[in-house]
Amino acid sequence: MTEVVTKQELDEAFAMFYGMAASLKDLASPPVEVADEERVAAAKRVFLKGIDANFATQLDACVHCGACAQACQFYLGTDDPKYTPVHKLDLMKRVYDREISPLSWLKKFIVKDITADDLRAQQELVYDSCTMCGRCNLVCPAGINIADMVALNRSALAAARLMPDELRFMQEGQEADGTIFGADEDLFRFRMDALQEKLGFEIPIDKPKADVLLVTTGLDIHLFQDATGGTIETLHHMGVDYTLRSDAYEGANFGLLSGHEGTKKKMAAKLANAAIEVGAKVVIVPECGHAFPALRWGAAEALGKPVEFDVMTVSEYFGKAVMDGRLKLEKDKEPRVVALHDPCKVGRWGGVFEEPRAILKAIGWELHETESNRAYNFCCGGGAGNFLIERANPLKRAGYRVKMAEIEKTEAKTLVVSCGSCRMNFEVGKVNAGDTIPVESLAAIIAAHLPKKEGAKA
């Protein structure tokens, strides 16, 4: 593998990026002043539109058993009952009970109407203390999809203009510029030129037709260039017919994370249309957990019709190539003992579990599984945009501690991840907790184990 970024460069980039991320709240424009009555009316409209027969049945199905609490790392990390996952649906349930439930005619006199203060208090429950990881869904005996209903709560708060300042800054920036963290086309081309020089081959950009459309993200453009570089180097090694697009390279979707439906669909449609235009059979999204569902399930929703391309994350695409023999990797002479973090949206929601494990097996690394793994894997503690919210720092630390406690028990020497947001949260968590375990990108690891071609220099 060509070293596209040194550890010192990565450390310096992390320090710069950490400082930039910490200032998002101050960079956000002042929120638009809205009357409380308008906030409540806007939130109710979103709730009532989103509560279909499926959600209504689930809202009535809860027996308050508390099983979901034991699945939530924010509850486990704080022992505070207010973070019980299903409690985060109480506001939505009140709207349902009063407005459209079978007994709404009676419950209007019993159940209190929601207020703007209720909505403000709801921010902590659905943004700060929930990453929509979906672990609670798996243990609910009634099969309640708490995570998706938390997402509806975020949409209701966004409509009420009550999303956290940090996520509002990101959403508004992406709505205006199509990217995040100011990673505009000039910076994208600058990074690609630098990667091209280090890798020693031309990186295809804006090819009119290609079998694969590769997408990156502002997080990787600014910080995790080893992940992007590793992906590109491996695609080149495999001889894949691929391209990046200078007008559709951003895989992150802060419409999805903030709850802003317009931005969510706009960003998904932009990538979907680019894939259709180049005739791509596959779109490879970057090591970014939420970029995966944002396009995999959001593309058809945004376009209003089925799409003809598959959406895969880096670990899935290369893992399948290893499993079917299209990608051969060299084994390490001295295997490492590692732990693997399955990103929630890629693993629990997307079912991508065996692919990254096949990669680690192919390079001869010894995987020590965490006690909770695969579908029951704990979140990194900062997903769904949570890692950017300053006031959520104590909760992020509590969630991180639950996850890291399991990693430490494995006695692994390295933590392997395939999501930039997870990687960022682990790095920040390490700084705050004084942990030292290296956190490495799976994409970079793959590239580091590509067989040398004949005639190549050692």
Side-chain angles (χ1 to χ4, degrees), residues 278-290:
V278 302
K281 299 172 185 174
V282 176
V283 178
I284 301 177
V285 295
E287 288 190 323
C288 173
H290 81 269

Side-chain angles (χ1 to χ4, degrees), residues 230-261:
T231 302
I232 290 171
E233 186 170 4
T234 305
L235 288 173
H236 178 78
H237 173 86
M238 293 175 63
V240 174
D241 175 25
Y242 78 100
T243 189
L244 291 107
R245 287 278 295 250
S246 62
D247 61 348
Y249 55 85
E250 180 58 71
N253 191 317
F254 272 83
L256 174 70
L257 300 184
S258 67
H260 194 288
E261 287 293 306

Side-chain angles (χ1 to χ4, degrees), residues 76-295:
L76 294 174
T78 64
D79 203 28
D80 190 331
K82 76 176 178 179
Y83 298 127
T84 301
V86 79
H87 172 56
K88 298 164 187 178
L89 308 182
D90 285 355
L91 215 61
M92 178 177 172
K93 178 71 160 56
R94 281 163 57 187
V95 173
Y96 163 72
D97 281 342
R98 286 177 53 87
E99 303 292 340
I100 56 175
S101 71
L103 294 177
S104 59
W105 59 272
L106 174 61
K107 291 190 175 182
K108 280 183 182 291
F109 300 102
I110 303 172
V111 178
K112 288 184 179 181
D113 201 0
I114 67 171
T115 68
D117 285 340
D118 290 331
L119 293 172
R120 293 185 183 96
Q122 189 74 351
Q123 291 182 78
E124 181 190 12
L125 298 182
V126 300
Y127 286 112
D128 303 14
S129 64
C130 184
T131 62
M132 301 185 291
C133 77
R135 196 170 189 264
C136 53
N137 295 5
L138 296 182
V139 303
C140 176
I144 298 173
N145 189 339
I146 298 172
D148 274 1
M149 285 194 269
V150 166
L152 182 58
N153 273 261
R154 286 194 177 198
S155 294
L157 291 182
R161 297 182 180 273
L162 287 173
M163 69 174 74
D165 290 340
E166 296 89 343
L167 297 191
R168 180 167 55 82
F169 174 81
M170 298 297 293
Q171 176 267 318
E172 290 176 349
Q174 190 168 21
E175 174 70 26
D177 304 328
T179 187
I180 62 172
F181 298 120
D184 60 14
E185 183 181 341
D186 288 341
L187 182 57
F188 164 74
R189 288 190 177 277
F190 175 79
R191 294 298 194 206
M192 291 304 110
D193 286 345
L195 279 176
Q196 191 167 269
E197 184 175 343
K198 290 181 178 180
L199 292 171
F201 58 79
E202 183 179 357
I203 297 174
I205 299 175
D206 294 332
K207 284 169 59 177
K209 295 294 178 182
D211 289 338
V212 172
L213 174 64
L214 175 63
V215 181
T216 183
T217 175
L219 185 60
D220 287 358
I221 291 172
H222 276 290
L223 182 55
F224 298 132
Q225 296 166 50
D226 58 340
T228 300
T231 302
I232 290 171
E233 186 170 4
T234 305
L235 288 173
H236 178 78
H237 173 86
M238 293 175 63
V240 174
D241 175 25
Y242 78 100
T243 189
L244 291 107
R245 287 278 295 250
S246 62
D247 61 348
Y249 55 85
E250 180 58 71
N253 191 317
F254 272 83
L256 174 70
L257 300 184
S258 67
H260 194 288
E261 287 293 306
T263 301
K264 180 183 81 170
K265 291 183 178 180
K266 178 181 177 180
M267 295 303 106
K270 184 176 183 178
L271 291 179
N273 284 325
I276 293 169
E277 187 176 326
V278 302
K281 299 172 185 174
V282 176
V283 178
I284 301 177
V285 295
E287 288 190 323
C288 173
H290 81 269
F292 187 60
L295 191 63

Side-chain angles (χ1 to χ4, degrees), residues 395-411:
L395 285 164
K396 282 182 279 186
R397 292 185 185 117
Y400 166 87
R401 196 64 252 152
V402 171
K403 175 69 182 187
M404 189 53 69
E406 287 203 351
I407 294 170
E408 289 170 349
K409 286 181 181 179
T410 69
E411 299 184 345

